[in-house]
Amino acid sequence: MKTAPSIDPVEIGYYERLAHTWWDRQGPLWPIHTLNTLRVRYLKRQITGHFGIARRSGKPLSGLRILDIGCGGGILSEALARLGADVTGVDVAKRNINVARHHAAEAGLPVYYLLGSAEDLAEAGERFDVVLNMEVVEHVADLGAFMKACNALVRPGGMMFVATINRSPLSWLVAIFGAEYVLGWLPKGTHQYKRLVKPKELEALLSDGKLSVTDVRGVRVNPITRGFSLTESPLVNYMMTAARPPESGYWGEGKKLEKLGAR
C-alpha cells in the first residue's frame, strides 16, 4: 500500500485500536450498526432507481460492482453483498481488513477486501458502478486529493454516495459535544470539527469530477430511542447521492485487483 496524501496516520491508529469492536453491536461502534439499517435502505432505493432495476427477489443489486471505501470491519459491505452486489471493500487500517475478511468468511459472503486507499485503486485504473464514501471524508488529511481519486473510480453512468457530518454550530453541539462528550455514544475524539465538510463544499468537489448531485438527505438521531431517520435538513448529518452521466465509450473494468493485494 502506497502512502497517499489523504492518509492520516493518527486516524489509522485510532481505528486500529477499535478494530476488535467492529462486530460488537453493544460496543463503542453500535451507532454504525444502527445507522447501517437506515443507510442500506436509502442506498438500495437510490441504486435501483438510478439503474432502472426492477424488483429482484432478495438480490436486487446482482450484477453491480460496488466499492466500499473505508470499509472498516465490513458492516456495510456485507449488507450489500447480501443484496447480490459484487462488493470490494478497501481500508487503510490492516486490522480492520483482517476483521472484515474473517467475518465475511464466517458468514460465507464473497466480499473482496483490500488493504489500500482510494488513490491506489484510481491509479490502477479501477472503475465501479457504485462508489460508497460513507463517513470517511471527515477523517482524511487531504480532502481534495481524496475526492479526486474517489471521483475517478466512478464509471460513466455510475454513481457515488457520500455520508458525513456538516460543519455547523448545530453539528458541533449534537454530533461532537453531545454524542461524544455528553451521551458517550462515540469515543471522545472520533471527529474533529475543522475536518467536517459542508454540503456545498462537497458538491463542488464532486462537480470537479463531473459528477452531479441528485439527492441530499439529512440524518436525524433520536437521543431517547437511539434511532436514526431521514430528514430534509442536512444541518447535522447528511447523505449525498451523485451521478456521472453516460459517456461515449466505456472505461472498462480496470486492472485486476489481485495485482494490488492478496484477498
Side-chain angles (χ1 to χ4, degrees), residues 137-159:
V137 297
E138 68 268 30
H139 299 292
V140 300
D142 187 332
L143 181 60
F146 175 72
M147 286 302 300
K148 181 178 180 180
C150 294
N151 290 340
L153 291 165
V154 182
R155 73 161 176 83
M159 58 195 312

Side-chain angles (χ1 to χ4, degrees), residues 118 128 133 192 249:
F128 296 84
N133 191 347
Q192 300 177 48

